[in-house]
Amino acid sequence: MADIIQLLPDHVANQIAAGEVVQRPASVVKELLENAIDAGSLTIKLIIKDAGKTLVQVIDDGKGMSVTDARLSFERHATSKIRNADDLFLLNTKGFRGEALASIAAIAHVELKTKQEDDEVGASIVIEGSNITSQDVVVTPKGTSLSVKNLFFNIPARRNFLKSDTVELRHIIDEFYRVALAHPNIAFTMYNNGSESFNLPISNYRQRIVNIFGNKTNEKLVPVDEDTEVLKISGFVGKPEYAKKTRGEQYFFVNNRFIKSAYLNHAIASAFDGLLKSGTHASYFLNLTVNPQTIDINIHPTKTEIKFDDEHTLYALLRSAVKHSLGQFNIAPVLDFERDANLDTPYSYSNSETKPSTPSVTVDRSYNPFKEETSFKSTPQPQKTSYKKESTEHWESLYVGVESKSNVTQQDFSEVQFESEQATASIFSDDNQIEQVHTTYQLHNKYIVSTIKSGMLVMDQHRAHQRVLYEDFLKNITVKESVSQQLLFPLELHFTTQEVVIIKELKDDLESTGFIFSNFSTESLEITGVPVSVPESEVSIILEQLISDVENEVPDSHFSATDLLAKSMAKSLAIKTGQSLEKNEQEHLVNKLFACKEPNVSPTNKTTFITMSVDELDKKFI
């Protein structure tokens, strides 16, 4: 029998390896930026065209490479970072696998220009699909310039899996944020399709955060600083009142490397326990410095997951450090046992002596409640007559009008009893004479129970209201006949640069729903009108939810963009679970739901109501 196992060709092996390292253009951006940082650069420039599908170029002023190193850098498992397996647990650099450039070169057109400081000329290498097409001597500045063009040109199937340009650009910006936040001592510049998107000068950590997320972020930050033998924590957490419904501004860095850790994220959440509204998440930008021997970075191809030697200790230290900072800066309530008791005394009495004084009681000894007869004519209660024996001269006047009052009281009771008999009689009248009324009942402030001809209907109030609002917004956006209410004072909202860009792209559709925008800047926008159904206090929440939905699921077609906008606004404005509704509100919601085109499901294709027939109810009692 012939042998069936064979070695893969190098170009096929490189393409398979590229599937682990390069998932999308953002993966190329991450690898190239990390290589530039390892080269000791002080200035790094990132150039993007067509969301990285056409061009990803990184230019740095690092130490550069020799001709031999430039050629070897594209070989598989060629690296200058490690010499043996033990070095994997002593890493202080970014790229160490030696797979990045080889994988990128296997699926793209790559052009490398590099020069060391002491050399007069540099080297230029052009590679297409792992094949070196040219190698020349060029005049180039000190450092390295690496251009990656036509990503996945030889793997069309992988290229088809890429999302729209907006989605891919969002992922590139996320990687740019992560690298830039980890290294505030390096200047970063990013260009997208010829225009400058970010210009981040060398600064401290707080300034870097503000430069990325906007000037309004500065007032939201609370410093965290803790240094122990096991762990050093530095950075900032966001104040609870600025918590968002999304997890966008949550960054962990371990030894200047961005990581994702649900376990450590839970430590932050527990530190904010009792301070956040339900469904919101605190922002944090935390740097953790640990001994490289206590972590294992080499457990995931993208190196965003790290295994810690003692996670429980890190959890406790991180939670305590954040709690301490929140209490130290009066963000969280604390018990202060060293409070000066003199603070309880008003300032005006701080130096005066307090003299005890006995309260005085004055009595009007000449007061006689029986002195005036008129005071008892309107009061049919003679109880006090037995306690005053000195005034018995006009005792008959106490009972004047009592008999007539008693008769009136009896007459009143008889009338009430007569009305009650009439109401009781109407209840037990013939059933055919009573008009049947459909009634509703709210169950646990979550479901609305209503009677139908065949039995009973149970409706989810949140999903049902989503369907009603969704179809209303979709109609308004499509027909462009929405009603807007003008605000007495313009509403100014602050967002990051990229969030403002997203809102600008959706400006026309938002105006079709009733929003009116008067001014846009790089980090803020001004609203002068909102839809009639939208409270002013909900505007910022709606836009934040909309931005989150767009970032996670940006559609390609205009119709899909309209659909997503209607879904997002309906989700934000729908009646929440736990909200009590009046009878007329319950009936109105039921009627509005069944007036919709598709009342059976919510905008997210979840069931809005169920029905139960009388026969099904009867079977429950068998």
Side-chain angles (χ1 to χ4, degrees):
M1 184 175 178
D3 298 331
I4 59 175
I5 298 177
Q6 60 182 356
L7 291 174
L8 288 174
D10 288 341
H11 69 280
V12 177
N14 287 338
Q15 289 180 2
I16 294 174
E20 296 182 357
V21 179
V22 184
Q23 301 172 357
R24 55 186 357 136
S27 306
V28 177
V29 171
K30 174 182 181 294
E31 298 292 346
L32 298 187
L33 288 178
E34 289 183 348
N35 285 342
I37 292 170
D38 287 342
S41 308
L42 294 178
T43 303
I44 298 176
K45 185 185 296 184
L46 172 64
I47 301 173
I48 300 295
K49 286 186 180 179
D50 299 333
K53 299 174 184 176
T54 303
L55 173 67
V56 174
Q57 184 177 8
V58 173
I59 304 172
D60 65 66
D61 60 350
K63 56 187 178 183
M65 292 182 287
S66 65
V67 178
T68 305
D69 287 345
R71 183 70 178 262
L72 282 175
S73 64
F74 290 99
E75 298 295 329
R76 290 192 67 191
H77 305 300
T79 177
S80 62
K81 314 294 173 57
I82 56 177
R83 291 290 181 266
N84 52 58
D86 293 336
D87 293 340
L88 288 173
F89 299 96
L90 295 171
L91 290 172
N92 293 305
T93 57
K94 307 289 185 184
F96 57 86
R97 289 171 173 267
E99 293 178 333
L101 292 182
S103 300
I104 293 170
I107 55 175
H109 297 163
V110 179
E111 182 179 357
L112 171 68
K113 292 182 181 179
T114 183
K115 173 181 157 322
Q116 292 179 323
E117 187 174 8
D118 297 333
D119 296 339
E120 294 182 358
V121 292
S124 173
I125 298 177
V126 179
I127 301 178
E128 296 181 2
S130 297
N131 298 319
I132 298 177
T133 58
S134 67
Q135 179 175 342
D136 299 316
V137 176
V138 295
V139 177
T140 183
K142 173 203 167 213
T144 303
S145 172
L146 191 61
S147 302
V148 178
K149 304 175 184 178
N150 305 322
L151 196 64
F152 299 124
F153 79 99
N154 53 355
I155 313 179
R158 290 294 303 275
R159 192 177 182 90
N160 293 335
F161 276 97
L162 296 179
K163 304 294 184 181
S164 64
D165 287 357
T166 314
V167 176
E168 297 300 339
L169 181 62
R170 178 72 251 173
H171 286 286
I172 289 174
I173 291 174
D174 286 342
E175 294 293 348
F176 181 79
Y177 283 173
R178 294 167 182 175
V179 176
L181 285 171
H183 301 276
N185 57 333
I186 300 176
F188 289 90
T189 309
M190 177 178 169
Y191 296 89
N192 178 34
N193 292 332
S195 61
E196 184 179 273
S197 299
F198 295 96
N199 190 350
L200 309 176
I202 297 175
S203 60
N204 59 33
Y205 193 46
R206 189 181 194 120
Q207 290 172 337
R208 177 56 57 88
I209 296 173
V210 172
N211 289 336
I212 291 178
F213 296 101
N215 295 326
K216 199 72 176 178
T217 313
N218 191 32
E219 63 187 47
K220 307 177 185 180
L221 301 178
V222 179
V224 178
D225 192 6
E226 194 72 32
D227 193 356
T228 65
E229 295 180 356
V230 180
L231 172 71
K232 180 180 180 182
I233 305 172
S234 64
F236 301 90
V237 295
K239 294 180 180 179
E241 59 264 31
Y242 297 106
K244 293 187 175 183
K245 289 192 172 184
T246 60
R247 300 178 182 269
E249 298 180 1
Q250 295 184 343
Y251 294 91
F252 272 125
F253 301 98
V254 175
N255 295 353
N256 294 330
R257 183 192 301 273
F258 173 80
I259 67 159
K260 296 177 181 178
S261 174
Y263 187 69
L264 296 183
N265 181 75
H266 189 273
I268 303 293
S270 62
F272 278 91
D273 190 24
L275 300 175
L276 299 177
K277 296 180 182 178
S278 177
T280 60
H281 308 278
S283 302
Y284 54 80
F285 312 88
L286 294 175
N287 296 295
L288 312 181
T289 304
V290 298
N291 187 345
Q293 294 181 339
T294 62
I295 59 176
D296 186 3
I297 307 170
N298 197 31
I299 65 170
H300 195 273
T302 60
K303 301 185 286 291
T304 56
E305 296 180 13
I306 290 180
K307 185 177 180 181
F308 294 95
D309 188 19
D310 188 0
E311 283 188 333
H312 298 289
T313 303
L314 297 184
Y315 183 98
L317 289 174
L318 186 60
R319 180 175 179 270
S320 300
V322 174
K323 263 187 170 295
H324 178 260
S325 293
L326 293 176
Q328 183 180 5
F329 292 93
N330 297 326
I331 306 300
V334 294
L335 291 175
D336 188 0
F337 296 101
E338 298 180 358
R339 182 172 55 85
D340 190 356
N342 294 328
L343 297 176
D344 295 338
T345 306
Y347 293 117
S348 57
Y349 295 96
S350 59
N351 297 322
S352 61
E353 297 181 0
T354 57
K355 297 180 179 180
S357 58
T358 304
S360 59
V361 179
T362 58
V363 180
D364 185 5
R365 300 187 182 276
S366 63
Y367 174 70
N368 186 356
F370 302 101
K371 189 174 182 179
E372 297 290 335
E373 292 181 0
T374 57
S375 62
F376 300 98
K377 291 182 179 180
S378 60
T379 306
Q381 295 181 3
Q383 288 87 354
K384 293 184 179 180
T385 56
S386 61
Y387 297 101
K388 298 292 181 180
K389 295 182 180 181
E390 65 273 15
S391 179
T392 58
E393 184 178 357
H394 303 287
W395 62 270
E396 297 90 345
S397 63
L398 298 176
Y399 296 94
V400 175
V402 172
E403 183 178 357
S404 62
K405 289 288 183 181
S406 176
N407 293 335
V408 172
T409 304
Q410 293 178 358
Q411 184 179 0
D412 292 340
F413 278 114
S414 64
E415 291 178 358
V416 172
Q417 186 178 7
F418 181 71
E419 290 178 356
S420 177
E421 289 175 357
Q422 281 187 343
T424 306
S426 63
I427 292 177
F428 293 99
S429 59
D430 188 7
D431 292 340
N432 296 327
Q433 298 178 356
I434 301 177
E435 182 180 357
Q436 187 176 3
V437 180
H438 292 282
T439 58
T440 59
Y441 174 76
Q442 191 174 23
L443 182 64
H444 295 298
N445 289 341
K446 182 177 182 180
Y447 300 105
I448 295 177
V449 182
S450 178
T451 59
I452 56 177
K453 187 175 181 180
S454 61
M456 179 180 66
L457 175 142
V458 182
M459 184 177 72
D460 188 308
Q461 64 183 34
H462 178 63
R463 295 180 184 177
H465 198 214
Q466 275 193 49
R467 164 54 62 178
V468 173
L469 292 177
Y470 167 71
E471 293 198 5
D472 287 344
F473 284 130
L474 203 59
K475 178 182 177 182
N476 291 339
I477 298 173
T478 306
V479 181
K480 300 184 184 297
E481 292 183 355
S482 61
V483 180
S484 177
Q485 59 180 352
Q486 298 293 315
L487 299 177
L488 184 60
F489 300 102
L491 184 63
E492 185 177 3
L493 301 176
H494 296 269
F495 296 97
T496 65
T497 305
Q498 293 304 312
E499 290 173 345
V500 172
V501 171
I502 292 174
I503 296 176
K504 279 185 178 180
E505 293 175 353
L506 298 173
K507 178 174 177 289
D508 293 338
D509 289 335
L510 284 170
E511 288 178 344
S512 298
T513 63
F515 284 96
I516 299 177
F517 299 93
S518 60
N519 186 26
F520 275 94
S521 66
T522 56
E523 296 178 0
S524 65
L525 55 91
E526 196 172 76
I527 298 175
T528 57
V530 296
V532 176
S533 58
V534 177
E536 184 178 347
S537 59
E538 295 282 333
V539 173
S540 61
I541 300 175
I542 292 173
L543 293 181
E544 285 181 7
Q545 182 67 52
L546 176 62
I547 291 169
S548 173
D549 292 340
V550 169
E551 289 177 350
N552 295 328
E553 185 189 358
V554 176
D556 297 325
S557 63
H558 180 73
F559 173 78
S560 298
T562 303
D563 184 70
L564 178 64
L565 176 60
K567 284 181 180 177
S568 180
M569 293 184 62
K571 182 166 57 176
S572 300
L573 293 173
I575 296 170
K576 302 296 186 291
T577 298
Q579 183 173 342
S580 178
L581 300 178
E582 299 293 336
K583 284 289 184 182
N584 57 345
E585 293 175 332
Q586 299 170 19
E587 295 175 0
H588 179 71
L589 182 57
V590 173
N591 295 332
K592 289 286 287 183
L593 175 65
F594 288 101
C596 294
K597 294 181 179 179
E598 296 183 15
N600 297 325
V601 294
S602 69
T604 54
N605 292 324
K606 295 181 179 178
T607 304
T608 56
F609 67 90
I610 60 171
T611 58
M612 185 173 291
S613 65
V614 177
D615 293 337
E616 291 175 337
L617 287 173
D618 290 340
K619 293 178 181 178
K620 301 290 184 182
F621 293 94
I622 294 177

